[in-house]
Amino acid sequence: GFFQSYAVEVDVKDASNATCLYAKWMMRFLIKYETNSSDYRNATLNSLSNVTHNGSVCGNDTQAALLAVQFGEGHSWSINFTKTNETYQGDFITFTYNTNDTVVFPDAKRKGPITVVVKDTMGPVELNNIFVCHNTDFFEAENVTQIFWNVTVQAFVQNGTISKKESRCRADTPTSAPTVPPTSANITTASTTTLSPAPTTAPKPVENPVTGNYSLKIGNRTCLLANVGLQLNVSQEKPLLINLNPKTTSADGACGNTTATLKLNDGNSTFISFTFVVKNVSASMQKFYLKEVNVTLLNRLNGSVISNADNNNFSKWDTFLGSSYLCRKEQTLEVNEDLQIRTFNLWIQPFLVKANKFSTAEECFADSDLNFLIPIAVGMALGFLIILVFISYIIGRRKSRTGYQSV
């Protein structure tokens, strides 16, 4: 899809009309909301060109600085900064989206403003330094993913002059090619980079993904275990295969008695969430199964959305509660017509994990089918061998009788 984004620039002045807080950045919000039919949709909210910054505060030694912007139909975003004698830092972000905006949230069940707060958003930056981060950064909370890139910010500006000393984020390595900072208010995320000619040799086939080990905890207790290799197959003009790298993938989510969610984040560009639920088979028997999968793929350079897919009608990996689900064979999850997830060496248990170990596994049909075929094949071979021995014995007996009669 094609998405528009806008650079937001705020220059907050003090009483003497000197700059005390400066920021320029790009942002986008991916929001999952419930509709009146009780299903869920994904909305994309961009900051608009008519941004205001009412309520922004310079801050001082005893008062936090506040950068606040308002945009669209009742949406707002803010970040507060505190400082010490040597550094300043961003403490928390407050984002409010208004589901009365029917253009962004059609058929929303819950109406009105909804506020999400994220803490510990920016580490300490040396005073009189400007913080710069061209690469994308992300925060996830309460069905909202906040995406930022091309960020330039300095709080507690001294003497009204923006510093030339930069403090770079970890993602901006000296060898990386940063995205060109926006120079106008209206900027699209379409790439203008010239691509190199396609190689004449055949592309190397993508290997199967490495199996990753993921887990969730409640306190010191492990509540979810997952071992799986994941590969995404994205249908575009040029098909795209992406292997999830366990070394760069972090796991997050939530555990509950009847619902559990595993969220995987591969390098802040690939987001996958798996939601499991419990169902009653009988009065005394329960099973769990995979119900929902959500996938978001982002461009690492500019944060644009490559693919955003979800499916909440799965009924996969059905297993008795208290057991784990095992499937060594490759499986395919059809998230939508343009995106598939292939799983390899899957072993999952989202409920009732004991002693940080998988419980007895129920194997998938593909594995059990193979296990049945092996003894059947061995039995058929032994049976065929017995038949051959019996036929040889009959033939030998007949020859012996013929010899006796001719004597």
Side-chain angles (χ1 to χ4, degrees):
F2 177 77
F3 296 89
Q4 278 194 317
S5 292
Y6 299 86
V8 181
E9 185 172 15
V10 177
D11 189 349
V12 182
K13 307 285 187 179
D14 61 15
S16 61
N17 202 35
T19 297
C20 62
L21 175 59
Y22 175 81
K24 189 175 184 178
W25 74 102
M26 301 184 79
M27 62 181 174
R28 177 181 295 122
F29 306 92
L30 305 179
I31 304 167
K32 182 178 178 181
Y33 70 98
E34 187 177 8
T35 67
N36 287 313
S37 57
S38 296
D39 62 349
Y40 286 84
R41 295 183 186 176
N42 292 312
T44 301
L45 178 61
N46 301 298
S47 59
L48 304 179
S49 56
N50 58 340
V51 176
T52 60
H53 55 88
N54 300 323
S56 295
V57 178
C58 290
N60 51 42
D61 292 340
T62 58
Q63 181 183 13
L66 181 67
L67 175 65
V69 294
Q70 303 82 36
F71 55 95
E73 300 296 325
H75 314 297
S76 63
W77 180 91
S78 66
I79 178 172
N80 82 316
F81 299 93
T82 56
K83 75 170 184 174
T84 64
N85 292 331
E86 298 179 350
T87 63
Y88 66 91
Q89 67 181 34
D91 285 341
F92 58 85
I93 286 174
T94 302
F95 170 54
T96 299
Y97 59 96
N98 185 10
T99 55
N100 286 326
D101 185 348
T102 57
V103 175
V104 180
F105 304 100
D107 195 36
K109 183 176 182 178
R110 181 178 175 181
K111 297 294 185 180
I114 300 173
T115 299
V116 176
V117 177
V118 181
K119 297 181 179 179
D120 301 324
T121 54
M122 191 179 87
V125 179
E126 188 176 345
L127 282 175
N128 201 32
N129 277 25
I130 189 166
F131 176 77
V132 177
C133 192
H134 292 301
N135 280 274
T136 50
D137 199 1
F138 306 82
F139 299 105
E140 288 185 287
E142 301 179 31
N143 293 328
V144 176
T145 301
Q146 304 183 45
I147 308 167
F148 308 92
W149 69 102
N150 282 350
V151 175
T152 302
V153 61
Q154 183 178 356
F156 306 101
V157 177
Q158 300 178 12
N159 302 320
T161 304
I162 304 298
S163 177
K164 295 183 179 179
K165 297 179 181 179
E166 292 185 354
S167 292
R168 287 294 190 102
C169 65
R170 186 176 300 177
D172 283 4
T173 60
T175 56
S176 64
T179 307
V180 178
T183 56
S184 62
N186 186 348
I187 297 176
T188 67
T189 59
S191 175
T192 58
T193 305
T194 302
L195 299 179
S196 302
T200 56
T201 56
K204 183 179 179 181
V206 177
E207 298 179 352
N208 288 348
V210 177
T211 300
N213 302 319
Y214 311 105
S215 63
L216 298 180
K217 289 188 175 183
I218 299 177
N220 295 324
R221 179 178 65 86
T222 299
C223 58
L224 183 149
L225 288 172
N227 294 349
V228 62
L230 293 169
Q231 183 182 85
L232 303 183
N233 184 2
V234 185
S235 298
Q236 297 178 327
E237 292 182 3
K238 184 179 180 181
L240 180 64
L241 286 178
I242 301 173
N243 285 343
L244 214 66
N245 184 359
K247 293 182 179 180
T248 60
T249 299
S250 60
D252 194 4
C255 295
N257 294 328
T258 59
T259 303
T261 301
L262 173 65
K263 297 181 179 180
L264 301 178
N265 176 357
D266 181 11
N268 289 336
S269 63
T270 304
F271 300 88
I272 307 175
S273 69
F274 300 92
T275 299
F276 302 86
V277 298
V278 174
K279 64 180 179 180
N280 294 321
V281 181
S282 65
S284 59
M285 189 178 300
Q286 293 179 310
K287 283 189 171 185
F288 73 81
Y289 67 96
L290 175 68
K291 184 180 188 299
E292 183 174 353
V293 176
N294 297 276
V295 181
T296 299
L297 298 179
L298 302 175
N299 187 312
R300 288 179 181 270
L301 291 179
N302 58 23
S304 60
V305 178
I306 298 175
S307 181
N308 192 15
D310 68 283
N311 188 331
N312 59 2
N313 291 315
F314 280 114
S315 185
K316 300 283 190 179
W317 308 345
D318 190 291
T319 306
F320 286 102
L321 196 63
S323 300
S324 60
Y325 177 84
L326 176 65
C327 196
R328 302 180 185 90
K329 290 290 187 179
E330 175 187 344
Q331 294 187 93
T332 301
L333 299 174
E334 298 276 354
V335 183
N336 64 18
E337 60 183 6
D338 296 323
L339 192 144
Q340 299 175 337
I341 298 179
R342 295 172 182 166
T343 65
F344 301 79
N345 298 318
L346 171 67
W347 197 1
I348 184 80
Q349 185 172 349
F351 301 99
L352 301 182
V353 176
K354 296 180 180 179
N356 300 332
K357 296 180 180 179
F358 285 104
S359 300
T360 304
E362 294 188 29
E363 295 194 46
C364 63
F365 177 77
D367 286 354
S368 60
D369 187 45
L370 178 62
N371 292 337
F372 282 131
L373 288 177
I374 292 174
I376 290 174
V378 173
M380 291 179 64
L382 289 174
F384 184 69
L385 182 61
I386 292 172
I387 292 173
L388 286 178
V389 171
F390 181 74
I391 293 174
S392 299
Y393 172 76
I394 296 297
I395 294 174
R397 290 276 296 178
R398 288 181 177 179
K399 287 183 178 181
S400 298
R401 288 181 180 179
T402 304
Y404 291 143
Q405 291 175 357
S406 62
V407 170

